[in-house]
């Protein structure tokens, strides 16, 4: 891909972010459901989408009575993000976690996954010590960036990175993969 095409695709990512997020959400859920099916075609996988984005999570997953509240983030595979913003209250929910989807700039196909969180019965690692998120594009009369006081920037370096779907499933549902096919 030449420089001009890359710039064109990066602009499209910014301008069509809702479309991109929706495509990646469906790709993640399809691959996840496919892997669970491969393990056991009779095992239910509950998937509930958040109707309103004010609780911090995008999707709730349930497998074998284990519930995960998942905030989805995305980035193209050619660029490593510095951090991802997370709502402080969301980070306190049991089973809360962040899944970052790395995708191809060419076709939006997921290339790997990253995970931030703890076990299904635990909240995320303490996030309040991280830097307060600055609101994109919002500036005070004094020229300062507006802070989003209920959000913190979690450094991407603290994520478990470059995971396959099978590895991501082990992070989400550690007890469920004991009989999984590899």
């Amino acid at each position: 891909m030449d420089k001009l095409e890359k710039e064109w695709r990066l602009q499209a990512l910014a301008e069509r972010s809702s479309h991109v997020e929706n495509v990646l959400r469906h790709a993640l859920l399809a691959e996840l459901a496919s892997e669970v099916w491969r393990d056991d075609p009779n095992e239910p996988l509950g998937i509930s989408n958040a109707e309103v984005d004010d609780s911090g999570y995008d999707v709730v997953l349930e497998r074998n009575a284990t519930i995960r509240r998942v905030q989805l983030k995305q980035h193209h595979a050619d660029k490593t993000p510095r951090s991802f913003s997370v709502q402080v209250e969301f980070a306190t929910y049991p089973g809360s976690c962040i899944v970052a989807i790395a995708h191809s700039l060419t076709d939006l196909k997921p290339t790997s996954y990253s995970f931030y969180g703890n076990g299904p019965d635990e909240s995320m690692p303490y996030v309040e010590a991280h830097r307060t998120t600055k609101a994109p594009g919002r500036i005070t009369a004094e020229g300062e960036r507006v802070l989003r006081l209920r959000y913190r920037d979690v450094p991407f370096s603290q994520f478990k990175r470059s995971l396959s779907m099978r590895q991501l499933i082990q992070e989400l549902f550690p007890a469920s993969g004991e009989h999984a096919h590899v």
Side-chain angles (χ1 to χ4, degrees), residues 33-66:
S34 177
E35 287 292 318
V36 170
W37 176 272
R38 187 167 72 163
D39 290 346
D40 180 352
N42 294 305
E43 180 184 350
L45 173 67
I47 300 171
S48 301
N49 288 302
E51 290 294 324
V52 180
D53 187 16
D54 65 356
S55 296
Y57 59 87
D58 298 301
V59 65
V60 177
L61 303 172
E62 181 179 0
R63 183 179 188 195
N64 294 325
T66 299

Side-chain angles (χ1 to χ4, degrees), residues 8-180:
W8 176 62
R9 289 185 181 278
L10 290 172
Q11 182 177 352
L13 281 178
E15 292 174 356
R16 301 189 65 207
S17 62
S18 294
H19 172 82
V20 172
E21 290 168 14
N22 211 13
V23 167
L24 292 171
R25 174 196 310 252
H26 287 288
L28 167 93
L29 296 175
E31 189 176 358
L32 174 67
S34 177
E35 287 292 318
V36 170
W37 176 272
R38 187 167 72 163
D39 290 346
D40 180 352
N42 294 305
E43 180 184 350
L45 173 67
I47 300 171
S48 301
N49 288 302
E51 290 294 324
V52 180
D53 187 16
D54 65 356
S55 296
Y57 59 87
D58 298 301
V59 65
V60 177
L61 303 172
E62 181 179 0
R63 183 179 188 195
N64 294 325
T66 299
I67 297 174
R68 297 306 298 245
R69 291 174 182 91
V70 182
Q71 184 177 75
L72 298 174
K73 302 290 188 180
Q74 57 90 13
H75 63 97
H76 65 87
D78 296 344
K79 184 176 181 188
T80 302
R82 269 186 228 189
S83 63
F84 286 113
S85 180
V86 64
Q87 189 182 79
V88 173
E89 184 181 23
F90 168 66
T92 66
Y93 298 162
S96 60
C97 61
I98 301 171
V99 172
I101 307 166
H103 63 85
S104 164
L105 193 54
T106 304
D107 58 15
L108 297 182
K109 288 183 181 174
T111 58
S112 69
Y113 303 97
S114 298
F115 177 85
Y116 182 80
N118 281 321
D121 298 326
E122 304 171 79
S123 60
M124 278 189 217
Y126 184 71
V127 300
E128 286 195 66
H130 295 299
R131 187 178 68 179
T132 302
T133 301
K134 293 179 180 177
R138 299 198 47 212
I139 299 175
T140 66
E142 295 79 29
E144 299 286 323
R145 297 282 302 269
V146 174
L147 296 178
R148 297 176 73 196
L149 299 178
R150 296 176 49 217
Y151 292 82
R152 298 294 182 273
D153 289 335
V154 176
F156 191 55
S157 62
Q158 295 185 4
F159 281 62
K160 293 181 182 176
R161 296 161 50 177
S162 299
L163 304 176
S164 66
M165 177 52 72
R166 178 58 59 195
Q167 292 168 318
L168 178 61
I169 289 172
Q170 287 299 308
E171 294 297 333
L172 292 168
F173 306 105
S176 296
E178 294 159 357
H179 305 294

